Amino acid sequence: MDITTIVGLLLGLVALGGGFLLEGGHLSALLSPTAAIIVFGGTFGAVTLATPFEELKKIPKLLKIAFTYKPRDPMETIEELVALATTARREGILALEEKIETYDDEFFKNGVRLVVDGVDPELVRSILETELSFIESRHEKAVLPFDQAGGFAPTMGIIGTVMGLVHVLGNLSDVENLGPQIATAFIATLYGVSSANVIYLPLATKLKSRTKQEVLIRELMIEGILSIQAGENPNILGQKLKAFLAPNLRAPKAEAGEANVETT
Amino acid sequence: MDITTIVGLLLGLVALGGGFLLEGGHLSALLSPTAAIIVFGGTFGAVTLATPFEELKKIPKLLKIAFTYKPRDPMETIEELVALATTARREGILALEEKIETYDDEFFKNGVRLVVDGVDPELVRSILETELSFIESRHEKAVLPFDQAGGFAPTMGIIGTVMGLVHVLGNLSDVENLGPQIATAFIATLYGVSSANVIYLPLATKLKSRTKQEVLIRELMIEGILSIQAGENPNILGQKLKAFLAPNLRAPKAEAGEANVETT
Amino acid sequence: MDITTIVGLLLGLVALGGGFLLEGGHLSALLSPTAAIIVFGGTFGAVTLATPFEELKKIPKLLKIAFTYKPRDPMETIEELVALATTARREGILALEEKIETYDDEFFKNGVRLVVDGVDPELVRSILETELSFIESRHEKAVLPFDQAGGFAPTMGIIGTVMGLVHVLGNLSDVENLGPQIATAFIATLYGVSSANVIYLPLATKLKSRTKQEVLIRELMIEGILSIQAGENPNILGQKLKAFLAPNLRAPKAEAGEANVETT
Amino acid sequence: MDITTIVGLLLGLVALGGGFLLEGGHLSALLSPTAAIIVFGGTFGAVTLATPFEELKKIPKLLKIAFTYKPRDPMETIEELVALATTARREGILALEEKIETYDDEFFKNGVRLVVDGVDPELVRSILETELSFIESRHEKAVLPFDQAGGFAPTMGIIGTVMGLVHVLGNLSDVENLGPQIATAFIATLYGVSSANVIYLPLATKLKSRTKQEVLIRELMIEGILSIQAGENPNILGQKLKAFLAPNLRAPKAEAGEANVETT
Amino acid sequence: MDITTIVGLLLGLVALGGGFLLEGGHLSALLSPTAAIIVFGGTFGAVTLATPFEELKKIPKLLKIAFTYKPRDPMETIEELVALATTARREGILALEEKIETYDDEFFKNGVRLVVDGVDPELVRSILETELSFIESRHEKAVLPFDQAGGFAPTMGIIGTVMGLVHVLGNLSDVENLGPQIATAFIATLYGVSSANVIYLPLATKLKSRTKQEVLIRELMIEGILSIQAGENPNILGQKLKAFLAPNLRAPKAEAGEANVETT
């Protein structure tokens, strides 16, 4: 459960709605089905036109990730790598084969399997880096619809408001209701700007930062797997990988990892 | 037929038009020939000035691509490459000559032909990568007019609205029609912002993502062709190429491809 | 004569002016000397302040290029290079000396002369690539004033309109003329946004795409000159250079070029 | 104490508040709890949704850095490095071990320790550069919430103002208070634009420039540590490192550093 | 004296002020001390908060450069380098020592001194390129406050105007002066947008283009110094360096430089 996703979303909606209530408004005054059709329908249409079907299909999965993603602790990955390196030194590289069966990361297993298969180190690096760069670009592409929705929604809001004003100004006979009608026209702007800034854009930013975290973990894995293949000292390996992390993330579980260390 | 292009376009237009109808407006209130001349004429003029004639000529073809493009399945390309690699191993590289006659991709045939002609691998890579990078930059250039139309249209809308307001404010005697006249002035803004956000910009985005898909397929081809020339194991080749794809794209047809694999 | 530059410019001006006329306005209503002074004077002042004198002096020449540039056909350059390569193979590199006297491209002649002088290939490449990268950055710098004018003009328009409103609002006694006075204030916005979007920005874009075409031709020349120096097969040279071009540009004159080809 | 952070913040607030007072307004007219809820709550919600919890936790620490950061003098670092190089030349590299205990920079100590441990120079460079690039990207990530707040706040202000206008326009009966009510609606815009431009964005910029200064110091350290390992002449080292600095920063303490220099 | 800086600044101010006078306004109507406090005080506060003190101190010096900078003729630098190369060939590298004493460019003298001292060519290049890249990044950093002022000023103008409107709308009793009061509120927008577009942004652009010119001259120096160290033919050196320049800059003084040339 990604708590900041839910808290942030609720906070944003409550702040806007609550502020309006405290001003003495009724939330019903913010409801306008036509504005909703124009803004959300228009945004969805533009995003659909802009996005290949393969990408559109991923949106529900991405939403699930945004709300439930639990970031992995990079120190755990480092410890796993140091443990693997220790095993490889003591029992040989082939001993890694059965150990990796317990891991659930396909990328990691795939990389270790290449090492066990005795593939050339340069080729291992090239295969894993290619795979990682494609993972990265797929993730970036998958976030595009959210970014686009964040760009299209406010302009759809403006379109809705201008349409509303065109309608109001074209029929000025009903002067009594002029104010409420203009108010209704502005609801579209409200929908467009709010949905972009409370939902689409922050969600896109969150998903992008998740991608960066995933990529960091994978970079750790590539470095680790190649060091294991090169038969490097697990101690140096631990040192090198910890350089990828913030100092405060390095301390906690470091002892366990370093207990395995041998001197060359 | 690219279904999301048509669905997205219709969805956008229906949402905007439908929302206006539900508000109680008549669609005729959204028609303004002068606004259309200013916005679409002005946008077309600016794009024409900005774009060399060679690029302008490509627009109809690009529109056709946007509506009819059927993305190729990269797994099929990988399978073809693995099959070619198997043939090359069994029957020699010259045997590829007749096989490639059945392919319809000029880039692919061209690449295999270089290998059959015994051109130096470094030169093959350099020729194909140069060709690909020029394909990419030509595609990017071809999409520019759509991006530009998306940038110019809203400002043309503002110009049309300001012109309309100048006209209205200059002749205030006719107070009765003031409202409808201002409403008409806003139609230009509506045309400019809507055409940019419902048509031009999403279309440009769609075309760009098509380019990326094409480039990915071509990168697969380059890697594959060079591996075939190097006489690599078709098995490793399949592995390496699948690293370019998302995991869910790798599974479906993988068995067929791997059935061809031999061990070195 | 660059037809799209003139057609695009006229189209934009006619669309805006014609739309206004069809609305029933008089073009005289769009004339305002004070708005012109503020917008065009202010824009010219800002561009002058922002630009070194050396760059300002180039503006007339750039305008001439924008209106009269005739793009060279890259296939012609390729054919010339293939012909030169054939000559070099048959008669030796020194035979190029007199042939190049007929060319009118200083960059091309300069490059061939280096080859004839027997300068080291690495140095030839480095000299020509340096020269090309400086040509490119000089062209980019030369277009900056147009881009800047496109950025400053709309804000100068806003400044003019706000000044006009300040003037109007400061003297509200003359209620009769309030409308026309506000209308006049908006003329500045009209001048600023129109000049930027109908003239400056599209012109900058056109000039940038011309630069890209020039650079592509020069890249062809560098590749060709170095291949000639290396004594490459003219056939392979033609192949390699055609990879720089779009498929539809390769076909037309290809036969002539390939007729010269010898096999190694 | 970072004096410009405090002075700049006060200056901004005093200028805005003071300007309003001089116009004859009461500061109480700028207070609106509902606008504050909408703008600050909405901004905080959007930032929370956009940012992983690990990053949110760093905000208080970053604020402390922004207000108390004392930039290190790079000349001091250079002098320390020259002194270390002199020690290493005279007493051997192992003599550095006890000297570095007095330093308080973890990155520096870590680097020197690698040299003392006899780790291969290429590996030392790779470990330190990796560590630095991750430090840099962590700092950039940490500043993102401020940048985002600067982006979201003005739109939250617009949302608050539109909501206020919707409320006012929906209840036009109370004509007397129309002006003050609209005034109140604009307070939200004021909060959004002011908080972004007086606080969030300048703070983000300040923090980014601090990161650049830190990175420069660390780059000096890496160059210095590697030169020490290579046994370079402390004199040349001092020269080389001073090339990183502006001329006016090089002069002040240069004598002390160069007094240690020996000729090879 | 940089004539375009002064002419451009005056032109901009005269165009805006003159346009207002021709409209029949009095310049006194554009004066508003409170708007000045809000806009200039707010902008200065934001820039101060955003900028480290070391950078703020450089602003007066930068202003002096913007107004008095006299661009060096790159042909002169090339001629000096060719002359030095000729001296080095005839009299040996040590003969350069006394010649450079007359130059006033610290970077140039420093580079030649390294050559005279017999420092390794790779190290010379690395020291000079490092120095140049730091010069470049220092210059870029120094221009930031102008760019930032150009970004903050318009929003401070909006803040000032909204504050003015809040004040006016909160006290609608004085209907007579409503117009002039609103006019005064708009003065803040005028100050913000004008100062950004007539002063800050063009000044930042001018300073950036000066940096580019300086860097180009220094790149010439690095290439020249390294060629002298390598003992290259002064003729080829002149050719190579002239490739950095626009053709029209190459002609004027070329004869003098080439008179020194010897053939190998």
Side-chain angles (χ1 to χ4, degrees):
Chain A
M1 192 67 120
D2 189 333
I3 202 72
T4 61
T5 302
I6 294 158
V7 169
L9 189 55
L10 289 181
L11 209 61
L13 294 174
V14 166
L16 299 196
F20 189 71
L21 285 177
L22 285 176
E23 263 172 10
H26 292 275
L27 284 184
S28 65
L30 295 179
L31 294 181
S32 161
T34 57
I37 289 171
I38 292 171
V39 174
F40 297 114
T43 303
F44 190 56
V47 170
T48 304
L49 170 47
T51 313
F53 188 55
E54 309 89 80
E55 299 299 324
L56 278 183
K57 282 188 304 190
K58 292 182 189 164
I59 290 178
K61 203 177 129 203
L62 280 169
L63 287 175
K64 206 183 137 212
I65 289 175
F67 282 98
T68 65
Y69 181 86
K70 205 186 145 306
R72 279 186 284 190
D73 182 354
M75 264 319 287
E76 271 177 39
T77 303
I78 292 179
E79 282 166 35
E80 281 175 4
L81 285 162
V82 170
L84 277 185
T86 313
T87 305
R89 280 213 147 195
R90 290 205 186 120
E91 310 170 28
I93 274 186
L94 294 181
L96 302 180
E97 190 146 36
E98 66 192 71
K99 271 200 97 168
I100 56 164
E101 289 313 310
T102 58
Y103 296 148
D104 64 343
D105 186 282
E106 214 39 61
F107 179 86
F108 193 18
K109 280 160 87 167
N110 193 16
V112 175
R113 232 177 262 133
L114 289 169
V115 170
V116 171
D117 290 355
V119 176
D120 179 73
E122 270 318 291
L123 193 54
V124 174
R125 175 183 287 279
S126 144
I127 290 178
L128 292 180
E129 285 185 346
T130 304
E131 184 159 358
L132 182 53
S133 87
F134 280 98
I135 289 174
E136 203 172 350
S137 81
R138 273 201 307 276
H139 282 221
E140 279 166 9
K141 225 160 60 180
V143 177
L144 274 185
F146 291 91
D147 263 335
Q148 286 160 7
F152 288 129
T155 53
M156 294 299 165
I158 290 169
I159 291 172
T161 295
V162 173
M163 275 183 169
L165 292 178
V166 165
H167 183 55
V168 172
L169 290 167
N171 307 277
L172 283 182
S173 52
D174 183 11
V175 181
E176 301 268 309
N177 285 317
L178 197 60
Q181 281 177 339
I182 295 178
T184 306
F186 275 114
I187 301 288
T189 294
L190 216 51
Y191 283 6
V193 180
S194 304
S195 60
N197 287 283
V198 177
I199 306 177
Y200 307 142
L201 293 176
L203 218 54
T205 307
K206 171 63 80 54
L207 286 166
K208 278 178 212 161
S209 90
R210 287 311 180 203
T211 293
K212 274 186 199 156
Q213 285 174 305
E214 282 295 299
V215 167
L216 171 62
I217 298 267
R218 302 278 157 89
E219 283 174 350
L220 282 174
M221 289 173 179
I222 295 179
E223 284 310 314
I225 288 168
L226 287 164
S227 297
I228 290 171
Q229 187 171 30
E232 265 179 33
N233 183 330
N235 193 10
I236 297 286
L237 172 61
Q239 284 278 102
K240 207 169 68 176
L241 294 183
K242 269 181 255 163
F244 285 55
L245 305 184
N248 64 322
L249 290 178
R250 289 178 212 169
K253 311 185 179 177
E255 300 84 1
E258 273 170 57
N260 287 324
V261 160
E262 327 167 81
T263 46
T264 326
Chain B
M1 192 67 120
D2 189 333
I3 201 73
T4 60
T5 302
I6 294 158
V7 169
L9 188 56
L10 289 181
L11 208 61
L13 294 174
V14 165
L16 299 196
F20 188 72
L21 286 177
L22 286 176
E23 262 172 11
H26 293 275
L27 284 183
S28 65
L30 296 180
L31 294 182
S32 161
T34 56
I37 289 172
I38 293 171
V39 174
F40 298 113
T43 303
F44 190 57
V47 171
T48 304
L49 170 47
T51 313
F53 188 57
E54 309 89 79
E55 300 300 322
L56 278 183
K57 282 189 303 190
K58 292 182 189 165
I59 290 178
K61 202 177 129 204
L62 280 169
L63 286 176
K64 205 182 137 213
I65 289 176
F67 283 98
T68 65
Y69 181 86
K70 205 186 145 306
R72 280 187 284 190
D73 181 355
M75 265 318 289
E76 271 177 38
T77 303
I78 292 180
E79 282 166 33
E80 282 174 4
L81 285 163
V82 170
L84 277 185
T86 312
T87 306
R89 281 213 146 196
R90 289 204 186 121
E91 311 169 28
I93 273 185
L94 293 182
L96 302 180
E97 190 146 35
E98 66 191 71
K99 270 200 100 169
I100 57 164
E101 289 314 310
T102 58
Y103 296 147
D104 64 343
D105 187 282
E106 213 39 62
F107 179 86
F108 193 19
K109 281 160 88 167
N110 192 16
V112 176
R113 233 176 262 132
L114 288 170
V115 169
V116 171
D117 290 355
V119 176
D120 180 74
E122 270 319 290
L123 194 54
V124 173
R125 175 184 287 279
S126 144
I127 290 178
L128 292 180
E129 285 185 346
T130 303
E131 183 158 359
L132 182 53
S133 86
F134 279 98
I135 289 174
E136 203 173 349
S137 82
R138 273 201 308 275
H139 282 221
E140 277 166 11
K141 225 161 59 182
V143 177
L144 274 186
F146 292 90
D147 263 334
Q148 285 161 8
F152 287 130
T155 54
M156 294 299 165
I158 289 168
I159 291 173
T161 295
V162 173
M163 275 184 169
L165 292 178
V166 165
H167 183 55
V168 172
L169 290 167
N171 308 278
L172 283 181
S173 52
D174 183 12
V175 181
E176 299 268 310
N177 285 316
L178 197 59
Q181 280 177 340
I182 295 177
T184 307
F186 275 113
I187 302 287
T189 294
L190 215 52
Y191 284 5
V193 180
S194 303
S195 61
N197 287 283
V198 177
I199 307 177
Y200 306 142
L201 293 176
L203 218 55
T205 308
K206 170 64 78 57
L207 286 166
K208 278 178 211 162
S209 90
R210 286 311 179 205
T211 294
K212 276 186 197 155
Q213 286 175 305
E214 282 296 298
V215 167
L216 171 62
I217 299 267
R218 302 279 158 88
E219 283 174 349
L220 281 173
M221 289 174 179
I222 294 179
E223 284 309 314
I225 288 168
L226 287 165
S227 297
I228 290 170
Q229 187 170 32
E232 265 178 34
N233 183 329
N235 193 9
I236 297 287
L237 172 61
Q239 284 279 102
K240 206 168 69 176
L241 295 183
K242 269 181 256 164
F244 285 55
L245 305 185
N248 64 323
L249 291 179
R250 287 178 214 169
K253 311 185 179 175
E255 300 84 0
E258 271 169 64
N260 287 324
V261 161
E262 330 167 77
T263 46
T264 326
Chain C
M1 193 66 121
D2 189 333
I3 202 73
T4 61
T5 302
I6 294 157
V7 169
L9 189 56
L10 289 181
L11 208 62
L13 294 174
V14 166
L16 299 197
F20 189 71
L21 286 177
L22 286 175
E23 262 171 13
H26 293 276
L27 284 184
S28 65
L30 295 180
L31 294 181
S32 161
T34 56
I37 289 172
I38 293 172
V39 174
F40 298 114
T43 304
F44 190 56
V47 170
T48 304
L49 170 47
T51 314
F53 188 57
E54 309 89 80
E55 300 300 323
L56 279 183
K57 282 189 304 190
K58 293 182 189 165
I59 290 179
K61 203 177 130 204
L62 280 169
L63 287 175
K64 205 181 137 213
I65 289 176
F67 283 99
T68 64
Y69 182 86
K70 204 186 146 307
R72 279 187 285 189
D73 181 355
M75 266 316 289
E76 271 177 39
T77 303
I78 292 180
E79 282 166 34
E80 281 174 6
L81 286 163
V82 170
L84 277 186
T86 312
T87 306
R89 281 214 146 195
R90 289 203 187 122
E91 310 169 29
I93 273 185
L94 293 182
L96 303 180
E97 190 147 35
E98 66 191 70
K99 271 199 99 169
I100 57 165
E101 288 314 310
T102 58
Y103 297 146
D104 65 342
D105 187 281
E106 212 41 59
F107 179 85
F108 193 19
K109 281 159 88 167
N110 193 16
V112 175
R113 232 176 263 133
L114 289 170
V115 170
V116 171
D117 289 354
V119 176
D120 179 74
E122 270 320 290
L123 194 54
V124 173
R125 175 183 289 278
S126 144
I127 290 178
L128 292 180
E129 285 184 347
T130 304
E131 183 158 0
L132 181 53
S133 86
F134 279 98
I135 289 174
E136 203 173 349
S137 81
R138 272 201 308 276
H139 282 221
E140 277 165 11
K141 224 160 62 180
V143 177
L144 273 186
F146 291 90
D147 263 335
Q148 285 161 7
F152 288 129
T155 53
M156 294 299 164
I158 289 168
I159 291 172
T161 295
V162 173
M163 275 182 169
L165 292 178
V166 165
H167 183 55
V168 172
L169 290 167
N171 307 278
L172 283 181
S173 52
D174 183 12
V175 181
E176 300 269 309
N177 284 317
L178 197 59
Q181 280 177 340
I182 295 178
T184 306
F186 275 112
I187 302 287
T189 294
L190 215 53
Y191 284 5
V193 180
S194 303
S195 60
N197 287 282
V198 177
I199 306 177
Y200 307 142
L201 293 176
L203 218 54
T205 307
K206 171 63 80 56
L207 286 166
K208 278 178 212 162
S209 90
R210 286 313 179 204
T211 294
K212 276 186 198 155
Q213 285 175 306
E214 281 296 298
V215 168
L216 171 62
I217 299 267
R218 302 279 157 87
E219 283 174 350
L220 281 174
M221 289 174 180
I222 294 178
E223 284 310 313
I225 287 168
L226 287 165
S227 297
I228 290 170
Q229 188 170 31
E232 264 179 35
N233 182 329
N235 192 9
I236 296 287
L237 172 62
Q239 284 279 101
K240 207 168 70 176
L241 295 183
K242 269 181 256 164
F244 285 54
L245 304 186
N248 64 323
L249 291 179
R250 288 178 213 168
K253 311 185 178 176
E255 301 83 359
E258 272 170 62
N260 288 323
V261 161
E262 331 168 77
T263 46
T264 326
Chain D
M1 192 66 120
D2 189 333
I3 202 72
T4 61
T5 302
I6 294 158
V7 169
L9 188 56
L10 289 181
L11 208 61
L13 293 175
V14 166
L16 299 197
F20 188 73
L21 286 178
L22 286 176
E23 263 172 10
H26 293 275
L27 284 183
S28 66
L30 295 180
L31 294 182
S32 161
T34 57
I37 289 171
I38 293 171
V39 173
F40 298 113
T43 302
F44 190 56
V47 171
T48 304
L49 170 46
T51 314
F53 187 56
E54 309 89 79
E55 300 299 323
L56 278 183
K57 283 188 305 190
K58 292 182 188 164
I59 290 178
K61 203 177 131 203
L62 281 170
L63 286 175
K64 205 183 137 211
I65 289 175
F67 282 98
T68 65
Y69 182 85
K70 205 186 145 306
R72 279 187 284 191
D73 181 354
M75 265 318 289
E76 271 176 40
T77 304
I78 292 180
E79 280 167 35
E80 281 174 6
L81 285 163
V82 170
L84 277 185
T86 313
T87 306
R89 281 216 146 194
R90 289 203 187 122
E91 310 169 30
I93 275 186
L94 294 182
L96 303 180
E97 190 146 36
E98 67 191 70
K99 272 201 99 169
I100 56 165
E101 288 314 310
T102 58
Y103 297 147
D104 64 343
D105 186 282
E106 214 39 62
F107 179 86
F108 193 19
K109 280 159 89 167
N110 193 16
V112 175
R113 232 177 263 133
L114 288 170
V115 169
V116 172
D117 289 355
V119 176
D120 180 74
E122 270 319 290
L123 193 55
V124 173
R125 175 184 287 279
S126 143
I127 290 177
L128 292 180
E129 286 184 346
T130 304
E131 184 159 357
L132 182 53
S133 85
F134 279 97
I135 289 174
E136 204 173 349
S137 80
R138 272 201 308 275
H139 282 222
E140 278 166 9
K141 225 160 62 181
V143 177
L144 273 186
F146 291 91
D147 263 334
Q148 285 160 8
F152 288 130
T155 53
M156 294 299 165
I158 289 168
I159 291 173
T161 295
V162 173
M163 275 183 169
L165 292 177
V166 165
H167 183 56
V168 172
L169 289 167
N171 308 278
L172 283 182
S173 53
D174 183 11
V175 181
E176 300 268 310
N177 284 317
L178 197 60
Q181 281 178 338
I182 295 178
T184 306
F186 275 112
I187 302 287
T189 294
L190 215 52
Y191 283 6
V193 179
S194 303
S195 61
N197 287 283
V198 177
I199 306 178
Y200 307 142
L201 293 176
L203 218 54
T205 307
K206 171 63 80 55
L207 286 165
K208 278 178 211 161
S209 90
R210 288 309 179 204
T211 294
K212 276 186 197 156
Q213 285 174 306
E214 281 295 298
V215 167
L216 171 62
I217 298 268
R218 301 279 158 88
E219 284 175 348
L220 281 174
M221 290 174 179
I222 295 179
E223 283 311 313
I225 288 168
L226 287 164
S227 297
I228 290 170
Q229 187 170 32
E232 264 179 34
N233 183 329
N235 193 9
I236 297 287
L237 173 61
Q239 284 279 102
K240 206 168 68 176
L241 294 184
K242 269 180 256 165
F244 285 54
L245 304 185
N248 64 323
L249 291 179
R250 288 178 213 169
K253 310 183 179 178
E255 301 83 359
E258 273 170 58
N260 286 324
V261 161
E262 331 166 78
T263 46
T264 326
Chain E
M1 192 66 119
D2 189 333
I3 202 72
T4 61
T5 302
I6 295 157
V7 169
L9 189 56
L10 289 181
L11 208 62
L13 294 175
V14 166
L16 298 197
F20 189 73
L21 286 177
L22 285 176
E23 262 172 12
H26 293 275
L27 284 184
S28 66
L30 296 180
L31 294 182
S32 161
T34 57
I37 289 171
I38 292 172
V39 174
F40 299 114
T43 302
F44 191 55
V47 170
T48 304
L49 170 47
T51 314
F53 187 56
E54 309 89 79
E55 300 300 324
L56 279 183
K57 282 188 304 189
K58 292 182 189 164
I59 290 179
K61 203 177 129 205
L62 280 169
L63 287 175
K64 205 183 137 210
I65 289 176
F67 283 98
T68 65
Y69 182 86
K70 204 185 145 307
R72 279 187 284 190
D73 181 354
M75 265 318 289
E76 270 177 40
T77 303
I78 292 180
E79 282 166 33
E80 281 174 7
L81 286 162
V82 170
L84 277 186
T86 313
T87 306
R89 280 214 146 196
R90 289 202 187 122
E91 309 170 29
I93 273 186
L94 293 182
L96 303 180
E97 190 147 34
E98 66 191 71
K99 272 200 98 168
I100 57 164
E101 288 315 309
T102 58
Y103 296 147
D104 64 343
D105 187 282
E106 213 40 59
F107 178 86
F108 193 19
K109 280 160 88 166
N110 192 17
V112 175
R113 233 176 263 132
L114 288 170
V115 170
V116 171
D117 290 355
V119 176
D120 179 73
E122 270 320 290
L123 195 53
V124 174
R125 176 183 287 280
S126 144
I127 289 178
L128 292 180
E129 285 184 346
T130 303
E131 184 159 359
L132 182 53
S133 86
F134 280 97
I135 289 175
E136 203 173 350
S137 81
R138 272 201 308 276
H139 282 222
E140 278 166 9
K141 223 160 62 182
V143 177
L144 274 186
F146 292 90
D147 263 335
Q148 286 161 7
F152 287 130
T155 54
M156 294 300 164
I158 290 168
I159 291 172
T161 295
V162 173
M163 275 183 168
L165 292 177
V166 165
H167 184 56
V168 172
L169 290 167
N171 308 277
L172 283 182
S173 52
D174 183 12
V175 182
E176 300 268 310
N177 284 316
L178 197 59
Q181 281 177 338
I182 295 178
T184 306
F186 275 113
I187 302 286
T189 294
L190 216 52
Y191 284 5
V193 180
S194 304
S195 61
N197 287 283
V198 177
I199 306 177
Y200 306 142
L201 293 176
L203 218 54
T205 307
K206 171 63 81 54
L207 286 165
K208 277 178 213 163
S209 90
R210 286 312 179 204
T211 294
K212 276 186 197 155
Q213 285 174 306
E214 281 296 298
V215 168
L216 171 63
I217 298 267
R218 301 279 157 89
E219 284 175 349
L220 281 174
M221 289 174 180
I222 294 179
E223 284 310 314
I225 288 168
L226 287 164
S227 297
I228 290 170
Q229 187 170 31
E232 264 179 35
N233 183 329
N235 192 10
I236 297 287
L237 172 61
Q239 284 278 102
K240 206 168 68 176
L241 295 184
K242 270 181 254 163
F244 285 54
L245 304 185
N248 64 324
L249 290 179
R250 288 178 212 170
K253 309 184 179 177
E255 302 82 0
E258 273 170 59
N260 288 324
V261 161
E262 331 168 76
T263 46
T264 326

